[in-house]
Every structure is written in structure tokens, then in C-alpha cells.
């Protein structure tokens, strides 16, 4: 049987938040394209499940009713009104955003299982401009002249795809990244994480604030508790890969030990129930500053190493790359030009949204663990920072809910 042959100017590989968002944004620009993913949706994905204001801004760019509708539904997206820093002495510092009296209640954060979030976005893919091939795995990629040729398999049937522009939105282990020779892991700009869902954790705040704990035994790592619906929470632990390698740490064992024996945590988890096994994944940090565009190709999200190095959040940053990419791709379509010259400012545009995070990360890596602990225990809990948080969030929320991201093509 001859393979099915498909031609399109644009092929997106990967339908996670970055790939699905790009498809949606391209459809808004009336740009036809195809998108493929190895999975059949809905499907799970290992993640911390936290959505910051970058993610909320992009959801509003997709559809201003997404959050409004989903928060009223069955808990696929859950509002979070702030965060809690758990100091190494066990004391809490709650940073909770309170809307002004009479103002519309717009949450600054949200938490959503990737099983739910990714499916919400896939449901928004517009079949008028996009052809979505699920359960379709790219097996090999090559470039002949100015055309990419992708050999894929769908339900054991072979598919041959030809395109002018190849977009890698297929995560850290991106086949696109491998084929352009750029997948190199620098452990100073890469993190290891584990995640597990728990039910019935004691002490969850009624505002479902997201919790971060820097354990005294491993101060340059952090554990998170992100509340979901009905007493459920995403609990995880992350550490820079260079530290894991240097001390030969097993982060799964550290994670289990913290929940069972850490003086700050063990009472909270004593009567809680784990709902699945501990799952691990790699986290490519934006501090690496990878090359993300070239002659006939673009990278998005984790494939572009776009995870915030300070928070570990990658959904909002990934979707931001998608919005920016859509503007450059529209220009390429209009000019019928997919050379590197058209995308020369793409890297500049995605990285200028990450500069503050990268600078803060580099500074934090120069701080000794002892000084870091002192800052967390004595400086961050000051009321000044809580007031500053309230003031800053008001501006961020206005931008996230009202202003379109400004992309400079030239």
C-alpha cells in the first residue's frame, strides 16, 4: 500500500500548549497549515500544572471567554489567588491578590491538569484552516532543496508530508531539534523534576494559593504544592541538573523522604493519599539561549528551551512563543519566503520577554545556599514585599486581560 502523501506550506509537529496555540493563532491569521501529534487526545502530560499571568494572557489572546467559562464549569481550570512561600523554619508567607472593591474578580494565576488544559486547546483548533493528524508520529525528517520531507506513521499506516516551514513544538526531546543538530543538554541550564497527584493534604488555603517550599536540607531546590479541584493537588520537586549530577542525587528518593520525614511537611501529608506513581521529566531552561529559528524552521516552547529558569513555568512562555511565531509565519506566507532572513528577529522577540527571568536566575546561581536561606527566612516575608506584590499584580492583570502582546517583526 502506497503511503498517504500530504503537502502543506506549514507543518507543526506537536499539539501541546505551544503547538495547539500556534495552530489557533495561525487560523486567526487565516493561514492554512497542518499539525501532527503522536498522541490521541485527551492525553496526560507530566507537568507542574501551574499557569502564570503569561499563560492567562495567551489564553485571553485565544478567546477571552476561556477562563470565564472554564472557571464556572467542572474544574478543568482552577483559579489561584496568589502563592505561599514556606520558609525553612516552617513559617508561611502568603502573597494573596485581593481585587479592589467593585472590581471584576480576575485571578492572577490558575492551575489546570495538562490532561484538561491541552484538550481545551485542542478543542479550539480551527478545522477551516488546520488539518490535525492525531496518533501520528514523525519517524524521520530530511530537507531536499527548500522542502522538508517528513516520514510519519498513523495507526501503522505510512504518511509522507512535504512542507516549506517546519515548526518544532514537540517538547524537550523534539525530533525537529535533533534534525537541525541543536539538541545539546547543558546541565547548568537544565532541571530535573518529579510530580505526583495527592488527595487530602492538610493546610491548603481556601484561595487555592500555590505553595513553594525550599527545604533546609536542599536549599537550592524546591518543592511545590499546587491545589486543584476537590482537595486534589499537584505535588512536585525540582532541582538543577548540574547539582543532581554533582552530588549524584536521586530526586525521586529525596521527594519521598521530604514528604515522609521533613518537619515542615510530614504532618500535612500524614493523612493524605497519593493517587498515582511519581513521574519524572526534564526541564530545558531559557537561560541556555538556544538558537530557535533558521532556514525553513522554527522552535516553540520546550523545544526552544523556553521554560522560565526562576519559576520552572513553561506553559505561558511556550504559548507566548506561539503568538510571536504566528506573526512571523504570516509575514513569511505573505512574502512566500521561508528563508532564515524572514525569521531573523524571532529569537530577539521571544528572548526579550525572558530577560528579567534569565538575569535573576544568573544572580541566584551566584548566591551561596546560606545567604539564600537567610534571604528566604528574613527578607522575603517582610510586609513591604506583600504590598509590592499587590501593586504589581494589578498592573500585570490589566495587561494580561486587556493588552495584546506587541511583536516587532523588523
Amino acid at each position: 500500500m502506497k503511503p498517504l502523501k500530504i503537502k502543506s506550506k506549514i507543518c507543526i509537529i506537536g499539539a501541546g500548549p505551544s503547538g495547539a496555540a500556534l495552530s489557533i493563532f495561525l487560523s486567526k491569521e487565516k493561514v492554512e497549515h497542518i499539525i501532527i501529534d503522536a498522541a490521541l487526545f485527551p492525553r496526560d502530560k507530566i507537568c507542574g500544572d501551574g499557569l502564570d499571568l503569561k499563560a492567562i494572557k495567551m489564553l485571553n489572546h485565544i478567546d477571552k471567554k476561556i477562563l470565564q467559562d472554564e472557571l464556572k464549569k467542572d474544574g478543568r481550570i482552577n483559579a489561584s489567588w496568589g502563592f505561599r512561600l514556606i520558609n525553612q523554619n516552617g513559617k508561611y508567607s502568603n502573597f494573596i491578590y485581593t481585587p479592589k472593591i467593585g472590581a471584576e474578580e480576575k485571578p492572577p494565576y490558575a492551575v489546570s491538569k495538562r490532561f484538561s488544559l491541552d484538550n481545551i486547546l485542542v478543542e479550539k483548533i480551527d478545522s477551516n484552516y488546520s488539518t490535525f493528524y492525531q496518533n501520528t508520529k514523525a519517524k524521520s525528517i530530511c530537507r531536499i532543496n527548500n522542502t522538508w520531507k517528513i516520514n510519519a506513521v498513523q495507526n501503522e499506516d505510512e504518511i509522507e508530508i512535504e512542507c516549506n516551514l517546519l515548526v518544532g513544538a514537540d517538547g524537550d526531546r523534539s525530533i525537529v531539534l535533533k534534525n537541525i543538530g541543536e539538541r545539546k543538554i547543558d546541565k547548568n541550564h537544565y532541571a530535573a523534576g518529579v510530580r505526583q497527584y495527592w488527595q487530602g493534604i492538610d493546610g491548603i488555603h481556601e484561595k487555592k494559593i500555590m505553595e513553594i517550599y525550599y527545604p533546609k536540607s536542599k536549599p537550592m531546590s524546591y518543592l511545590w504544592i499546587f491545589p486543584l479541584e476537590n482537595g486534589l493537588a499537584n505535588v512536585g520537586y525540582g532541582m538543577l541538573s548540574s547539582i543532581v549530577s554533582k552530588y549524584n542525587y536521586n530526586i525521586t528518593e529525596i521527594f519521598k523522604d521530604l514528604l515522609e520525614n521533613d518537619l515542615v511537611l510530614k504532618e500535612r501529608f500524614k493523612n493524605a493519599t497519593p493517587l498515582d506513581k511519581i513521574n519524572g521529566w526534564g526541564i530545558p531552561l531559557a537561560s541556555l539561549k538556544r538558537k530557535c529559528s533558521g532556514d525553513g524552521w522554527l522552535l516553540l516552547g520546550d523545544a526552544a528551551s523556553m521554560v522560565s529558569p526562576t519559576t520552572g513555568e513553561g506553559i505561558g512562555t511556550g504559548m507566548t512563543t506561539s503568538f510571536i511565531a504566528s506573526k512571523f509565519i504570516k509575514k513569511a506566507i505573505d512574502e512566500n519566503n521561508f528563508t532564515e532572513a524572514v525569521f531573523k528577529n524571532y529569537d530577539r522577540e521571544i528572548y526579550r520577554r525572558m530577560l528579567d527571568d534569565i538575569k535573576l536566575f544568573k544572580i541566584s546561581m551566584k548566591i551561596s545556599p546560606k545567604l539564600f536561606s537567610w534571604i528566604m527566612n528574613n527578607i522575603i516575608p517582610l510586609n513591604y514585599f506583600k504590598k509590592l506584590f499587590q501593586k504589581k499584580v494589578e498592573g500585570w492583570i490589566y495587561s494580561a486581560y486587556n493588552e495584546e502582546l506587541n511583536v516587532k517583526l523588523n
Side-chain angles (χ1 to χ4, degrees), residues 230-245:
N230 303 320
L232 181 68
N234 179 315
V235 183
Y237 179 70
M239 180 183 286
L240 197 66
S241 293
S242 58
I243 297 175
V244 174
S245 179

Side-chain angles (χ1 to χ4, degrees), residues 240-257:
L240 197 66
S241 293
S242 58
I243 297 175
V244 174
S245 179
K246 181 178 180 179
Y247 296 102
N248 196 28
Y249 284 143
N250 182 320
I251 65 168
T252 299
E253 293 303 317
I254 294 173
F255 177 63
K256 290 193 290 187
D257 182 66

Side-chain angles (χ1 to χ4, degrees), residues 170-228:
D170 47 339
D172 171 48
R173 299 184 179 183
S174 167
I175 189 172
V176 178
L177 195 56
K178 291 176 182 177
N179 274 269
I180 60 174
E182 287 290 324
R183 191 177 188 269
K184 300 172 184 176
I185 294 177
D186 183 333
K187 291 182 180 180
N188 290 311
H189 305 283
Y190 199 85
V194 293
R195 179 220 73 184
Q196 188 174 38
Y197 288 112
W198 282 75
Q199 185 83 40
I201 302 167
D202 187 49
I204 297 294
H205 196 278
E206 62 179 2
K207 290 286 189 178
K208 291 187 177 179
I209 59 177
M210 299 185 287
E211 302 185 45
I212 301 293
Y213 173 49
Y214 299 93
K216 191 172 184 178
S217 59
K218 304 287 186 300
M220 299 305 286
S221 62
Y222 71 93
L223 181 139
W224 68 82
I225 302 171
F226 290 175
L228 288 152

Side-chain angles (χ1 to χ4, degrees), residues 49-95:
D49 296 342
L51 304 177
D52 64 4
L53 276 165
K54 289 187 180 75
I56 289 175
K57 187 180 184 78
M58 288 301 107
L59 288 173
N60 285 322
H61 277 31
I62 289 170
D63 183 348
K64 287 187 177 294
K65 293 183 178 180
I66 285 184
L67 280 172
Q68 178 184 333
D69 291 345
E70 290 297 333
L71 291 174
K72 293 177 182 177
K73 287 183 180 179
D74 55 2
R76 293 201 298 180
I77 298 180
N78 304 270
S80 175
W81 292 92
F83 62 91
R84 168 185 287 171
L85 295 180
I86 307 174
N87 302 332
Q88 294 171 355
N89 55 18
K91 294 182 179 179
Y92 298 161
S93 296
N94 293 337
F95 294 76

Side-chain angles (χ1 to χ4, degrees), residues 1 17 40 59 61 80 83 105 114 182 192 201 241 243 283 288 300 348 376 401:
M1 183 176 179
L40 186 64
L59 288 173
H61 277 31
S80 175
F83 62 91
E105 293 197 352
R114 286 289 300 276
E182 287 290 324
I201 302 167
S241 293
I243 297 175
I283 307 169
L288 178 66
L300 309 177
R348 179 200 67 198
M376 294 305 303
Y401 284 87

Side-chain angles (χ1 to χ4, degrees), residues 81 96-108 207 387-398:
W81 292 92
I96 300 173
Y97 171 69
T98 303
K100 291 181 178 179
I101 296 174
E104 186 178 354
E105 293 197 352
K106 296 176 178 177
K207 290 286 189 178
K387 292 178 182 178
L388 183 63
F389 170 77
Q390 176 74 18
K391 184 178 180 180
K392 288 288 187 182
V393 167
E394 288 176 359
W396 295 336
I397 283 180
Y398 181 84

Side-chain angles (χ1 to χ4, degrees), residues 11-20 34-45 114 118 122 125 131-138 150 152-155 159 161 167-171 175:
C11 176
I12 305 167
I13 299 183
S18 299
I34 66 171
I35 178 170
I36 71 172
D37 195 284
L40 186 64
F41 287 76
R43 58 95 177 95
D44 193 18
K45 199 75 173 178
R114 286 289 300 276
D118 290 21
V122 161
I125 290 177
T131 304
F132 183 21
Y133 296 91
Q134 299 188 50
N135 199 25
T136 302
K137 183 177 179 62
I150 306 153
V153 175
Q154 182 187 63
N155 298 322
I159 299 176
I161 301 169
V167 182
D170 47 339
I175 189 172

